[in-house]
Amino acid sequence: MGWALIAAAEPHHRKGWLKRFDPRYWTVDFARPMMASVVSNTPRVLRVEAVFYRKQDLAGLIWEAEDRWDHPLLAYETSRDFRHTQLKFRWRSGGIKPLDALHGPTLTIEGRDAAGVPRAWYVRLWNYAAGTSEDAVISLDFDALNGGFLLPGEADRVWAGDVDRMFISLVPPGFDGGEGVLAAPVEGWAEMSAIACSGSGSVLAIGDVVLPEQGLGMTNGYDDCYHLTPARVVRQIVQLGYRGDVVHYVGMSHYMRLEALGGGFYISLAGGVLNRPASEWHRALAAACGEAGLGVIWSLSYELFDAYCWNDWKQRDADGAPALTGWVPPSTLLSPANAAAMGYLQLVARTFVAIGREAGLAPKFQVGEPWWWVNAGGKLCAYDGATSAALGSSSVAIGDVRGALGMPQRAMLDRLGSLLASSTAALVAAARHEAGADGILSFLLVFLPTVLDPAAPELRRANVPTGWAAPAFDVLQLEDYDWVTAGRGAETAPARAAMVARLGYPVHEQHYFSGFVLNREDRGQWAAIADAAAAARRAGVTRAFVWALPQVARDGFVAFDGEDDVQAFDAVDFPLAIGREAMVATEFSTQIVSSPSGHEQRASEWAEARMRYDAGPGISSEAAVRVLTDFFRGRRGAARAFRFRDPFDASSAADGGLPTAGDQMLGTGDGVRRQFGLVKRYGAGDAEQVRAIRLPVAGSVRASVDGLETVAFVVTAQGELLFDAPPAAGVAVRAGFLFDVPVRFAEDRLEASRATFLAGELAHVPLVEVRAPW
């Protein structure tokens, strides 16, 4: 699998044209607890749905001059000059302040004036409307636009030559500039139709790249894209080459209805399960996916936004502290033993499955990362009232789940596992009941670093219950991004094996989730994520997914198939007797630009040298010709790479001799990391080159930790060391080894004759190094 990070579109990338103010590219935003969404199901029309809980709630319908949400290959151009542009549309609304009211829909334009001073203008839409306060045609000429409530007396001329963004404010009928909770939630809406933009500033370039279909699947989460139109989301998925099913996490903070109580807002079923903005958004998503030929796997977890969760629904530790995640503000975990909490999740599951069925999608449902949470200090969150009542006398004290546990404590963990399995079975049953005669495909997503935490080996009794064993679910889905991004990806293969042994799902009944990159500054982690996805596909999983679309778009990640075929590799050795006589060439690639004065600018294009060899000198007999010809045919010429022993550089030892455990510095322990890649260092100081070694010779690797040789490690299929226990923080990890180089034949033709070697002439058998395909 090939991949790349695209920072910005290049001139050669395909472009199209977009009318400014295209309804698919508006966004919506607001402050909690209110909720709003924007959809564009038909050309030239957008509709905003909102639910207000407080008098001061305000939603903004936003157009940004800079596209901050699309992948660089698909984004529209940044154009802050709105001059010579006219916008006309029909406005209809209900449940919000009307156009003619104080605090009615106002267009706020943020940017800079002609002198470059930052400022904002407030354009009352009613001043440019023809019609009624809730059904009017609005015409805006950005060359003749005035802010101010009353015109012409309060006119404030807009300078539209340097605009960052503009937004239309929507507020509830009770909005008066003060604060307070509304007597009941208010649902409102606004629709812009017949949207027409004209003038010389009305057209924008937009990226229109369509990448080939590739084998990875895409994931998404409502909490990360609630502000975008579903049409915009689906366009990115399709044009980036993702097909098949999209795993859509419905989130934990935006889909629910709320009710006010005691100064807070809590989950409510009054009026339905989903709030109207979330319901309409997901209906539009399902329809758009169906039209694009995509399926949807609805993903629902036991996680909820803590501020909205009823207190008795939460998992709690023995001190009464709720399970709280590390997000800011935090989310919490629902207790699998709480009937009300589980009943609510079942209703949510049924609602989303029904939305998919209405759109003609095959019912597919995922239970996402269900587990018993562990608070800081190893405090197991299994002591809430419902769980304690369900366990009865089986509930015993576990001060630290990472410590040594006795038989009663292990028995408690087993009972917790049974409760968790029963709750997930009931959740899947609810989704299956909603699917009806159509049937349903069920999925279980498990986060390996938590459920198989090596510091708490007994925790899998509770968090990987045997009640999940096949065929409880149709597909087991595994993710491990904490390991991958921390350089611990070698822990995945044994963890996958442990899951197969415990639950019985063979690899071909598994999916793999690769990613994600939390922060933009860590976008370099995509290299490990792409490698992990490729490794999972080589291991035989049915499907590998990338997590998730917002991070893919933000960092410009693209993936494409085909590179594995180009990098096809056979784990066989080049005939050693022939290879020992090879000629060796070490090469770099440097771009050199010389000025007329003789000065130069030099740019090194490769981080590592590339080796070339000529094995011709090793051909000295008919037997050697036969051996080489047989090997050449087996590799299909230059098609397949293989192992080659460099006659001058095949050992970690500085003198090329036998390796010792202290030859090469691999890194420093941190008390967590178990995986260390093999490297060989050349030079010193600023000139040091670090060469990744991917093909150590079997049985040759020796390792030391803090100066002491150890055998408590294995060498992974990727040529890395995986220690049985993580080296302690601050200690040096070193290794010695023999190694091969991955090479291929440089040509698809092999020539040799008896006359050549009998006359003392050298045959020509060029080989070239390839990058290891893992």
Side-chain angles (χ1 to χ4, degrees), residues 422-476:
S422 295
S423 72
T424 56
L427 189 54
V428 170
R432 181 173 289 114
H433 184 272
E434 188 64 41
D438 294 336
I440 196 167
L441 279 178
S442 61
F443 303 79
L444 173 69
L445 177 62
V446 176
F447 186 60
L448 293 173
T450 293
V451 303
L452 298 184
D453 183 357
E458 298 290 356
L459 189 59
R460 68 190 62 185
R461 294 173 177 268
N463 281 342
V464 190
T466 55
W468 284 349
F473 298 87
D474 294 302
V475 179
L476 175 65

Side-chain angles (χ1 to χ4, degrees), residues 623-709:
V625 172
R626 285 192 291 269
V627 169
L628 181 60
T629 301
D630 182 69
F631 188 84
F632 182 80
R633 284 179 174 271
R635 309 289 77 74
R636 299 203 297 271
R640 306 188 68 81
F642 49 90
R643 301 176 71 117
F644 180 81
R645 189 74 48 83
D646 189 317
F648 297 104
D649 188 8
S651 173
S652 61
D655 61 0
L658 293 177
T660 70
D663 286 347
Q664 300 291 328
M665 180 70 172
L666 305 187
T668 303
D670 59 8
V672 176
R673 177 184 173 197
R674 296 168 56 206
Q675 178 181 347
F676 290 80
L678 296 178
V679 299
K680 183 172 181 180
R681 301 172 187 274
Y682 300 82
D686 294 340
E688 184 182 65
Q689 293 285 309
V690 181
R691 180 184 186 183
I693 303 300
R694 299 296 191 183
L695 298 178
V697 175
S700 73
V701 181
R702 302 173 64 181
S704 64
V705 176
D706 201 20
L708 299 177
E709 186 165 0

Side-chain angles (χ1 to χ4, degrees), residues 462-500:
N463 281 342
V464 190
T466 55
W468 284 349
F473 298 87
D474 294 302
V475 179
L476 175 65
Q477 299 176 315
L478 303 178
E479 63 177 333
D480 61 350
Y481 58 82
D482 274 8
W483 285 344
V484 170
T485 57
R488 300 168 58 191
E491 298 185 34
T492 299
R496 182 181 290 118
M499 295 296 289
V500 172

